Amino acid sequence: MYRYDEFDAQFVSARVEQFTDQVRRRLDGDLSEEQFKPLRLMNGVYLQLHAYMLRVAVPYGTLNGRQMRRLAHVARTYDRGYGHFTTRQNIQFNWPRLKDIPAILAELAEVEMHAIQTSGNCIRNVTADHFAGAAADEIVDPRPYAEILRQWSSLHPEFTFLPRKFKIAVTGAPHDRAAVQVHDIGLQAVRAQDGSVGFAVFVGGGLGRTPMIGRKVCDFLPEADLLAYCEAILRVYNRYGRRDNKYKARIKILVHETGLETLKADVEREFAETRNGILTLPQDEIDRIVAYFAAPPFASEAEAAAADFERAVAADPQLAVFAERNVHAHRAPGYASVTVSLKPIGKAPGDATAEQMEVVARLAETYGHDEIRVSHEQNLVLPHVRKRDIPAIFAELRAHDLGEANAGLVTDIIACPGMDFCALATARSIPVAERISERFAAAGRQREIGDLKIKISGCINACGHHHVGHIGILGVEKKGEEFYQITLGGSADEKTSIGEIVGRGFSYDEVVDAVEKIVDTYIDLRSDHDEDFLAAYRRVGDAPFKEALYGTA
């Protein structure tokens, strides 16, 4: 993984020193909250319902054991003993005291972490496939390109105060695990007939109050032109994006209002001015960054030893279920990637205690070449483990409430913090997720249902990605009460779709029953056991589900 050079270290240290002074001036009363707000937001500090919240960047979701241990230390020392992993592959601490945040940032800087640009109208944390560098279907590891974009975008003088926040995602495989089509810029690696690597470029995706799927503006962007083309897109957006209405300020609205062909023409004109200039990526610079992400030394005997894993699976039914759901194909023989579920039954999705973080750090250091990933689905991943070590890993995970074998199942729910924490929320998300999880707690029932993605947001900003859930749930306030609108048929993979609203909302007391009716209807109508929920919905449409929910289609 990438390691700071002297410039990076000085850059982050200077930012900590600057923000320390800004916090001091706020606490002394020299800055009002209104004056302090833009300063804290550029350093990842939000003011939520009950306290300040600190969002720490995990660039493209990659970190090591030392960094995870430091996050555990922050949770235990400065917060309430836990952290919350987010859909942006970051981690949030919900209870730090403002006076302690400079110390937190200084301690994070010691392990090459920061909170820069995790908020504000700037380019946010660049995200990537959580199986990057390990996936069996990968064309190219997307992390070097995400790192190049991170370096280019950090405090970019033109793009520090954009019309609205700006999000970029990169995936290196045909199967999109990074949700690139619902980002402001989505990059999907492709390989040309001559073997060269480039990117299909999508622009104008996003969720929130106006969900839109990104439009393809380039079929093949050579890797050397990555920065020049992204800069062209940002310049067009910065010039023409609306600043008069924050609800219409995202680039997706610009694409919609100006039209795709007009936007492409504007981008191409800007690109023509900068192409083959200082933003062109030299091959030696690409190679230098790629070298940071070289594959670890995989053991040559791992393939032969994998037979031990197969015997262990045959002898242990619980391990067999874990292997089926949470163990994923790896590019190296005898190896696998393991999903560490942060979705124990009846608990808040994405939360991890300080002790659990230390357990994951220890497992990564002992068995996983000291690599950890954060997924946008609010789980953790050990990307490189020998199959023969998985029984030991599973035993350790189970001992610390991390061994739920539910990756991709009905209880693997994405949920935003909702009204329990967020000042913008209009309804609770976490309790709804907990109740759904408890309703479908039986492991056998989860496996019978099969692949099913439920995503919950507590307000129209859609931080829980409800628009692209197979079952999406949006909490809204109506006459002082919480109601939950349900959408069906969303997806965030290479066949991205926005879910369709099925009808009137359900009260807090009704919504879990409504979800169960939807699931039971799917079970009754699927063509066979292999037809998953999304495939069945796309085949039959919403009429059977409306009938089940409302009594009439």
Side-chain angles (χ1 to χ4, degrees), residues 85-106:
F85 289 94
T86 77
T87 55
R88 197 100 216 115
Q89 297 180 310
N90 294 319
I91 184 171
Q92 294 179 179
F93 296 104
N94 289 315
W95 301 100
R97 293 176 296 185
L98 181 60
K99 72 180 185 66
D100 290 332
I101 291 178
I104 295 172
L105 295 176

Side-chain angles (χ1 to χ4, degrees), residues 29-141:
D30 296 334
L31 291 175
S32 67
E33 175 55 35
E34 183 179 359
Q35 292 170 321
F36 183 56
K37 181 178 179 180
L39 305 177
R40 64 172 169 79
L41 288 177
M42 290 298 287
N43 290 277
V45 181
Y46 285 74
L47 184 57
Q48 294 199 305
L49 279 178
H50 312 294
Y52 284 103
M53 177 269 281
L54 175 64
R55 180 182 293 150
V56 178
V58 183
Y60 35 89
T62 296
L63 68 166
N64 59 29
R66 181 169 174 247
Q67 291 170 324
M68 184 66 88
R69 290 180 190 279
R70 186 57 56 92
L71 294 176
H73 165 75
V74 169
R76 183 179 289 117
T77 307
Y78 299 105
D79 206 274
R80 296 188 177 180
Y82 73 96
H84 176 73
F85 289 94
T86 77
T87 55
R88 197 100 216 115
Q89 297 180 310
N90 294 319
I91 184 171
Q92 294 179 179
F93 296 104
N94 289 315
W95 301 100
R97 293 176 296 185
L98 181 60
K99 72 180 185 66
D100 290 332
I101 291 178
I104 295 172
L105 295 176
E107 293 200 38
L108 291 172
E110 293 173 355
V111 295
E112 302 182 2
M113 301 190 80
H114 63 79
I116 299 167
Q117 292 184 200
T118 58
S119 179
N121 294 336
C122 55
I123 300 171
R124 300 286 188 90
N125 188 38
V126 179
T127 57
D129 181 357
H130 43 277
F131 296 136
D137 64 339
E138 191 170 76
I139 294 171
V140 66
D141 187 341

Side-chain angles (χ1 to χ4, degrees), residues 315-500:
D316 184 344
Q318 290 182 313
L319 177 60
V321 174
F322 183 80
E324 178 188 344
R325 297 307 316 183
N326 291 43
V327 176
H328 314 278
H330 196 283
R331 68 180 196 173
Y335 280 77
S337 298
V338 172
T339 293
V340 179
S341 174
L342 299 183
K343 317 290 177 59
I345 301 301
K347 301 290 181 65
D351 282 4
T353 66
E355 182 186 20
Q356 288 174 326
M357 293 184 216
E358 289 169 342
V359 168
V360 174
R362 183 169 65 251
L363 290 174
E365 292 163 348
T366 305
Y367 301 109
H369 295 281
D370 198 21
E371 281 199 43
I372 304 163
R373 305 288 169 76
V374 182
S375 78
H376 79 274
E377 295 179 327
Q378 296 181 290
N379 291 315
L380 300 177
V381 173
L382 299 172
H384 309 296
V385 299
R386 292 183 299 183
K387 287 184 177 180
R388 75 174 186 183
D389 292 329
I390 292 176
I393 293 170
F394 178 54
E396 186 79 358
L397 292 175
R398 287 183 63 198
H400 295 88
D401 205 19
L402 292 168
E404 200 69 48
N406 63 350
L409 295 178
V410 64
T411 59
D412 186 11
I413 300 167
I414 289 178
C416 72
M419 207 162 60
D420 288 304
F421 296 97
C422 182
L424 301 177
T426 53
R428 290 170 292 172
S429 300
I430 292 173
V432 174
E434 291 171 341
R435 290 168 58 220
I436 293 172
S437 175
E438 289 167 346
R439 179 68 61 88
F440 293 97
R445 188 182 188 192
Q446 292 184 55
R447 295 199 303 278
E448 172 66 20
I449 295 166
D451 291 345
L452 178 56
K453 297 182 183 295
I454 297 179
K455 306 185 181 187
I456 308 173
S457 299
C459 79
I460 198 66
N461 289 302
C463 294
H465 295 186
H466 67 276
H467 294 296
V468 290
H470 299 167
I471 300 175
I473 302 173
L474 168 64
V476 298
E477 182 272 331
K478 186 177 180 181
K479 297 181 180 179
E481 295 185 42
E482 294 166 297
F483 280 83
Y484 294 86
Q485 183 184 88
I486 292 179
T487 55
L488 299 178
S491 178
D493 59 10
E494 62 277 7
K495 297 180 180 178
T496 296
S497 56
I498 302 297
E500 300 284 342

Side-chain angles (χ1 to χ4, degrees), residues 448-451 522-523 525-540:
E448 172 66 20
I449 295 166
D451 291 345
Y522 152 66
I523 294 294
L525 63 78
R526 64 186 177 185
S527 59
D528 56 49
H529 193 272
D530 293 329
E531 185 178 46
D532 63 29
F533 179 91
L534 187 59
Y537 177 82
R538 288 174 172 171
R539 176 174 59 83
V540 304

Side-chain angles (χ1 to χ4, degrees), residues 221-235:
L221 177 71
E223 60 179 355
D225 292 331
L226 177 64
L227 293 187
Y229 199 81
C230 287
E231 179 134 330
I233 294 169
L234 264 295
R235 283 183 172 177

